[in-house]
Amino acid sequence: MARLKIKEILKNGETGSEVVAKGWVRTKRGSKNVNFIALNDGSTIHNLQVVVDVASFDEELLHKITTGAAIAVSGELVESAGSGQSVELNAKSIDLLGAADPEKYPIQPKKHSLEFLRENAHLRFRTNTFSAVFRIRHAMAFAIHKYFNEKGFNYLHTPIVTASDAEGAGQMFRVSTLDPKNPPLTEEGEVDYSQDFFGRATNLTVSGQLEGELGALALGEIYTFGPTFRAENSNTTRHLAEFWMIEPEMAFYDLKDNMDLAEEFLKYCIQYALDNCMDDLKFLADRLKQEEKNKPQDQRSMDLIEKLEFVLKNDFIRLPYTEAIDVLKNSKPYKKKKFQFPVDWGVDLQSEHERYLVEKHFKCPVILTDYPKDIKAFYMKQNDDGKTVGAMDVLFPGIGEIIGGSQREEDLEKLTTRMEEMDIPAEEMWWYLDTRRFGSVVHSGFGLGFERLMLFVTGMGNIRDVIAFPRAPKNAEF
RNA sequence: UCCCCAGUAGCUCAGUUGGUUAGAGCGGCGGACUGUUAAUCCGUAGGUCGUUGGUUCAAGUCCAACCUGGGGAGCCA
């Protein structure tokens, strides 16, 4: 008899048929005569109820079927005599595949804190919450590839190890095979990276954008989807040292095309989750609702599924930075001096300002555009006003910046002038500048933090709970 | 990195103005129970009070430093 996945059994299993299920025991309960095993194999949030007639099984075997143990059960699928599930499996035989000492197995049949599960990241997949999160994560990754494939984008693998440190996206992790205790030194006493593996200093990538542009200016539309590394000492619920980023880059796209793509893309992913992950989303939504009960009325947020549907239904607000400053200056918190940071044209918006715009004023995702050039990267398209650049940041409620992008400066002279102003060594970037020397065209792109999208779709509050093995300062245990 | 909070049983927490032998719920284990839904009922074991140092006759409790975790901020995606 072939093993069926529990998802399949619950969906298509015919009562009266013989089936084999394999999985991990969530709970076992019952009385002298009958035991009930909640069995989960990860294929779905739902458990299969296994009914065990105590008299027809070895007592020793039943004793070893504890929370966390792996078992194989064969038996007859029948209509459930109890409420709570439509079908259940009447066990004819049970094999103990792997026992789990109940005195030592950390995951107990009770509610655990997310903090505790984070410290048991190797086992947290076995909980409802994390199995739901990681099934959704898979679905989102798949949706991303599906979306871009359908749009005719090419998936480009940009390098993980890079010699470029010019983008200034953040602190980098050095990649080196030199002996850390006794590295070769130059005459000036500095570490001599010319003797290193690559013959120069290399780091883990902070962004695939610059290489992505090279691809776009030949293939037309490309996207990257891979790990990205930032050695910033950030300790927040929204940052990781290793995270996954999606970076599309498109030739012949101006800023508006870029925004249209970003909005359509986000909505596609959210729609995909609603179409394909409803069981898991419902579980997470209920879980959130339980948590919200402990919060005061005014701090409660919208139901998770309603929130996702809301984003789908509404156009994102598109607002130039300059107008956003006006909105903020006319806002109640500004007039009552409730903002901690100043609001003036030319300063970067702080979290509190973004939150006000998204969560209080517009109550809707917002795309802020045309930021002052001095607070943005060198490669952004310089607008005709001489003050702003064609940047766009997509701000989501509860998350803040989920996408950062721009139209890229395609004019060689403007670009090199800007690089000089910002002390970016043009000679090291010769390969990047070649795109502007040979057949340069209008092009645009953006970066989406995959885990931030995951935060939004799952409603989880901490970014370390939407990636399997989070890398953060002082934390690389698993 | 900065600000705030926390660290006591496997987990979640309580522990009074510093004072005898550190508690509860859940989980585990043993038992009871005719179909349970994170079952219920009875019983039971389980502790280097984050670490180091200090104050004191006496520290889980007060002080300092450090470590770890959480929330917020900055940096950003």
Side-chain angles (χ1 to χ4, degrees):
Chain A
M1 230 184 312
R3 171 211 166 205
L4 288 180
K5 290 197 183 191
I6 288 172
K7 184 181 184 180
E8 188 63 21
I9 292 171
L10 295 178
K11 195 175 160 204
N12 298 322
E14 283 176 28
T15 54
S17 64
E18 296 280 317
V19 301
V20 177
K22 296 182 182 181
W24 294 269
V25 174
R26 286 293 172 76
T27 63
K28 188 178 77 171
R29 55 183 177 268
S31 61
K32 192 161 68 177
N33 300 323
V34 62
N35 278 184
F36 301 94
I37 299 167
L39 192 67
N40 189 283
D41 68 358
S43 60
T44 163
I45 189 94
H46 301 297
N47 299 327
L48 176 66
Q49 171 152 288
V50 176
V51 185
V52 181
D53 176 23
V54 172
S56 39
F57 284 90
D58 178 37
E59 195 183 327
E60 192 72 359
L61 172 72
L62 293 185
H63 188 72
K64 285 181 181 157
I65 297 176
T66 56
T67 298
I71 57 171
V73 185
S74 64
E76 187 189 353
L77 197 64
V78 297
E79 218 165 288
S80 180
S83 57
Q85 60 279 319
S86 55
V87 293
E88 60 192 20
L89 184 59
N90 265 338
K92 287 212 173 105
S93 76
I94 301 177
D95 286 330
L96 180 68
L97 303 176
D101 182 347
E103 305 239 24
K104 290 179 183 149
Y105 183 58
I107 310 297
Q108 302 162 0
K110 56 171 287 190
K111 189 181 181 344
H112 284 295
S113 68
L114 294 174
E115 292 83 359
F116 172 74
L117 292 170
R118 219 169 281 151
E119 287 168 10
N120 289 277
H122 58 310
L123 295 171
R124 64 180 177 169
F125 301 109
R126 299 196 186 186
T127 65
N128 286 331
T129 299
F130 285 95
S131 66
V133 164
F134 289 107
R135 276 188 297 270
I136 293 171
R137 185 174 166 116
H138 161 77
M140 287 297 90
F142 186 77
I144 286 159
H145 287 301
K146 190 165 184 283
Y147 173 79
F148 285 120
N149 185 55
E150 284 167 6
K151 299 279 285 187
F153 281 55
N154 292 287
Y155 180 24
L156 183 71
H157 296 104
T158 51
I160 308 291
V161 175
T162 167
S164 160
D165 62 351
E167 211 215 332
Q171 290 284 108
M172 302 178 106
F173 289 101
R174 176 59 42 88
V175 175
S176 175
T177 56
L178 295 178
D179 180 0
K181 278 186 234 151
N182 188 24
L185 299 178
T186 61
E187 282 174 15
E188 292 79 37
E190 305 286 328
V191 175
D192 183 6
Y193 286 105
S194 72
Q195 295 186 48
D196 205 346
F197 186 88
F198 293 106
R200 58 194 297 178
T202 51
N203 301 293
L204 293 178
T205 183
V206 293
S207 164
Q209 181 201 315
L210 302 185
E211 292 91 345
E213 286 186 51
L214 309 182
L217 291 179
L219 295 164
E221 294 97 357
I222 65 94
Y223 70 105
T224 72
F225 184 2
T228 310
F229 307 87
R230 306 265 167 102
E232 300 287 353
N233 189 13
S234 336
N235 294 283
T236 80
T237 53
R238 300 181 307 281
H239 291 85
L240 290 164
E242 175 182 298
F243 63 101
W244 287 65
M245 191 150 64
I246 298 105
E247 295 179 288
E249 199 68 38
M250 301 77 63
F252 317 116
Y253 272 52
D254 65 13
L255 189 65
K256 180 181 179 299
D257 300 327
N258 201 17
M259 287 190 280
D260 290 345
L261 184 80
E263 182 168 347
E264 183 185 77
F265 168 59
L266 285 169
K267 287 179 173 174
Y268 182 94
C269 291
I270 291 165
Q271 184 69 58
Y272 191 88
L274 287 170
D275 290 344
N276 294 278
C277 307
M278 203 33 122
D279 284 354
D280 289 324
L281 286 174
K282 271 187 188 149
F283 175 83
L284 293 173
D286 285 347
R287 189 187 161 281
L288 277 175
K289 226 174 255 170
Q290 292 294 322
E291 266 191 4
E292 301 261 312
K293 273 184 189 165
N294 304 322
K295 288 186 187 168
Q297 192 81 40
D298 59 324
Q299 282 178 30
R300 292 183 197 174
S301 60
M302 209 187 280
D303 174 83
L304 176 62
I305 292 163
E306 283 172 27
K307 191 180 75 175
L308 298 178
E309 283 167 349
F310 177 84
V311 168
L312 285 182
K313 270 185 257 161
N314 292 280
D315 290 338
F316 296 2
I317 303 289
R318 300 181 183 193
L319 189 74
Y321 168 92
T322 304
E323 287 177 36
I325 294 292
D326 288 343
V327 170
L328 288 169
K329 288 211 164 191
N330 286 311
S331 70
K332 260 188 203 163
Y334 180 80
K335 289 177 177 167
K336 289 184 175 172
K337 298 195 166 35
K338 288 273 172 67
F339 285 139
Q340 199 190 328
F341 291 91
V343 179
D344 276 306
W345 199 97
V347 302
D348 209 353
L349 297 182
Q350 303 295 321
S351 279
E352 56 178 355
H353 307 136
E354 295 180 351
R355 292 185 76 105
Y356 172 80
L357 291 171
V358 173
E359 289 161 26
K360 293 280 186 314
H361 189 81
F362 293 110
K363 296 187 166 73
C364 181
V366 174
I367 310 182
L368 286 182
T369 66
D370 302 295
Y371 283 74
K373 64 176 180 181
D374 289 334
I375 58 173
K376 287 290 180 185
F378 73 93
Y379 49 72
M380 293 189 181
K381 172 76 182 170
Q382 295 165 41
N383 289 333
D384 293 337
D385 60 14
K387 296 190 300 192
T388 61
V389 289
M392 60 142 202
D393 285 0
V394 181
L395 310 179
F396 260 37
I399 312 286
E401 186 180 342
I402 195 167
I403 278 181
S406 70
Q407 187 177 327
R408 318 306 190 189
E409 180 56 72
E410 77 275 13
D411 184 278
L412 179 65
E413 205 183 306
K414 284 187 185 166
L415 185 58
T416 48
T417 305
R418 191 70 190 133
M419 286 170 81
E420 249 168 63
E421 287 170 9
M422 296 176 80
D423 285 326
I424 292 166
E427 58 283 4
E428 280 178 29
M429 306 278 290
W430 62 272
W431 47 273
Y432 180 69
L433 294 171
D434 263 7
T435 54
R436 275 65 169 177
R437 290 190 182 101
F438 310 118
S440 187
V441 294
V442 165
H443 65 290
S444 299
F446 61 80
L448 167 75
F450 185 46
E451 284 77 17
R452 294 211 176 152
L453 176 65
M454 282 296 299
L455 282 179
F456 186 76
V457 172
T458 61
M460 298 296 284
N462 190 317
I463 201 160
R464 298 173 193 199
D465 294 334
V466 296
I467 186 166
F469 303 105
R471 294 287 173 265
K474 304 268 156 77
N475 191 344
E477 178 70 21
F478 299 99

